[in-house]
């Protein structure tokens, strides 16, 4: 699988994302935000971090980076696009995914292990993972409180746009398991065509033997299954 | 020159946890009659122009494209003629 990982000024999970895909033998291309060519990848990743220092609103300046025109073209042509954390914030700012990531209910930066339940397994990113599986994937954000108006939330629910929900270890989606105040415990959503996924948890931080959880690997393996690799 | 004074604020339907925290803090300071606090952004833009119509159109465009997120925020602004320095 050819994977292009975009680096914005202030991205800090770009190398982790490159590493976990490279370790599994995929061809990884780092792409600087001022570039305009993605290099014909199967998957584009907008990584976590603090693009442009989170100035104004998280992700609001990154949407004007030169590479974003190519990213939008790639996604609109059906190419796979994964936004992690700040990448998710950028996707909502660009308008490729609905809603907004507001400041956490607690006003605190939260950095912790977090279980998320797989709610959809017919997306390329969750292909073949058993529905209801609770994945242990860390979160690290201050603006992860997913908000959308009532009409938009209903559309997401009706059209099966919610891919991951915050849950407890046993997979129960409860208010107590919601770390940041996200509506409907939303941790990750996709578009109607299922080729764009935005998620606040960091699968690239849970995909190596060196760390506590390897559950993030399941998302990479799902993509491999989707491509028949 | 024209100074545009832009206020970007959360829509009434959007929860403002910062505002809630400030309300709680004001209550503990004894300001029991404060029932709600909403935090917003104030942005000043200086334009090298004296044409208010032109500047107004530009400020609307700037707010729609960048300064405000239409999902959660609204904006309003006023213009002030200021002497060139």
């Amino acid at each position: 699988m050819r994977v292009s990982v975009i680096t914005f000024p202030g991205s800090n999970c770009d190398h982790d994302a490159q590493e976990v895909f490279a370790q599994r033998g995929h061809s990884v291309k780092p792409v600087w935000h001022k570039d305009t060519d993605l290099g014909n990848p199967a998957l584009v990743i907008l990584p976590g971090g603090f693009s442009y220092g989170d100035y104004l609103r998280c992700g609001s300046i990154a949407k004007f980076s030169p590479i974003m025109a190519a990213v939008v073209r790639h996604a609109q042509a059906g190419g796979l696009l994964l936004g992690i954390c700040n990448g998710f914030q950028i996707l909502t700012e660009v308008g490729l995914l609905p809603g907004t990531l507001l400041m956490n209910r607690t006003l605190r930066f939260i950095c912790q292990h977090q279980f998320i339940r797989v709610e959809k397994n017919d997306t390329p990113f969750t292909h073949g993972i058993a529905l209801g599986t609770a994945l242990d994937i860390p979160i690290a954000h201050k603006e992860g409180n997913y908000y959308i108006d009532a009409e938009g939330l209903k559309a997401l629910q009706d059209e099966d746009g919610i891919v991951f929900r915050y849950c407890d270890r046993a997979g129960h989606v409860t208010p107590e398991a919601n770390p940041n105040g996200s509506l409907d415990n939303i941790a990750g959503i996709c578009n109607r065509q299922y080729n764009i996924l935005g998620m606040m948890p960091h699968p690239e931080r849970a995909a190596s033997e060196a760390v506590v959880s390897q559950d993030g690997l399941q998302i990479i393996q799902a993509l491999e299954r989707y491509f028949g690799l | 020159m024209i100074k545009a004074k832009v206020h970007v604020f959360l829509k009434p339907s959007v929860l403002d946890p910062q505002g809630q925290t400030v309300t709680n803090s004001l209550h503990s300071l004894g300001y029991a009659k404060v029932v709600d606090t909403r935090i917003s952004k104030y942005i000043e833009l200086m334009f090298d122009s004296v044409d208010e119509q032109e500047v107004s159109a530009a400020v609307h465009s700037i707010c729609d494209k960048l300064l405000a997120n239409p999902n959660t925020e609204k904006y309003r602004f006023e213009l002030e003629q200021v002497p060139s320095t």
Side-chain angles (χ1 to χ4, degrees), chain A:
Chain A
M1 176 172 25
R2 289 165 69 95
V3 184
S4 291
V5 181
I6 315 295
T7 299
F8 298 96
S11 295
N12 63 11
C13 301
D14 44 344
H15 288 275
D16 302 50
Q18 291 163 23
E19 178 68 15
V20 295
F21 278 90
Q23 273 183 357
R24 295 188 62 83
H26 301 294
S27 158
V28 176
K29 180 180 164 72
V31 179
W32 180 233
H33 77 115
K34 283 192 173 170
D35 292 344
T36 52
D37 181 13
L38 288 169
N40 198 29
L43 169 68
V44 173
I45 297 179
L46 304 184
F50 302 86
S51 58
Y52 295 90
D54 278 353
Y55 294 163
L56 192 64
R57 293 181 310 277
C58 305
S60 64
I61 315 276
K63 72 175 168 181
F64 297 112
S65 276
I67 194 63
M68 284 310 292
V71 171
V72 171
R73 276 198 307 276
H74 166 84
Q76 286 175 343
L80 300 191
L81 175 57
L82 170 60
I84 301 167
C85 199
N86 187 226
F88 185 11
Q89 294 163 341
I90 295 170
L91 288 177
T92 62
E93 282 286 342
V94 178
L96 288 172
L97 289 175
T100 307
L101 284 313
L102 295 174
M103 197 180 291
N104 295 342
R105 183 176 45 188
T106 56
L107 306 181
R108 291 199 175 92
F109 187 95
I110 304 171
C111 182
Q112 65 184 35
H113 276 270
Q114 176 68 48
F115 285 96
I116 56 172
R117 190 170 78 176
V118 178
E119 304 285 17
K120 256 190 89 57
N121 64 358
D122 52 355
T123 80
F125 309 93
T126 51
H127 188 78
I129 305 177
L131 281 181
T133 302
L135 301 174
D136 175 2
I137 298 186
I139 55 170
H141 60 249
K142 190 175 181 186
E143 285 86 5
N145 177 356
Y146 185 78
Y147 174 83
I148 191 166
D149 61 23
E151 196 180 325
L153 180 61
K154 187 168 185 314
L156 267 182
Q157 291 163 336
D158 291 351
E159 292 162 13
D160 272 350
I162 302 167
V163 182
F164 300 115
R165 280 193 174 92
Y166 298 114
C167 67
D168 62 19
R169 180 179 294 272
H172 300 302
V173 175
T174 62
E176 296 72 35
N178 185 339
N180 54 25
S182 288
L183 282 179
D184 202 16
N185 281 43
I186 288 174
I189 59 168
C190 60
N191 62 335
R192 285 180 192 175
Q193 291 75 33
Y194 305 137
N195 64 313
I196 306 173
L197 172 68
M199 62 188 296
M200 290 311 295
H202 286 270
E204 81 284 6
R205 293 190 187 179
S208 147
E209 290 301 322
V211 293
V212 172
S213 168
Q214 288 78 42
D215 285 0
L217 267 182
Q218 294 206 32
I219 290 170
I220 302 174
Q221 288 163 341
L223 286 159
E224 292 167 353
R225 278 193 294 274
Y226 175 76
F227 285 111
L229 300 172

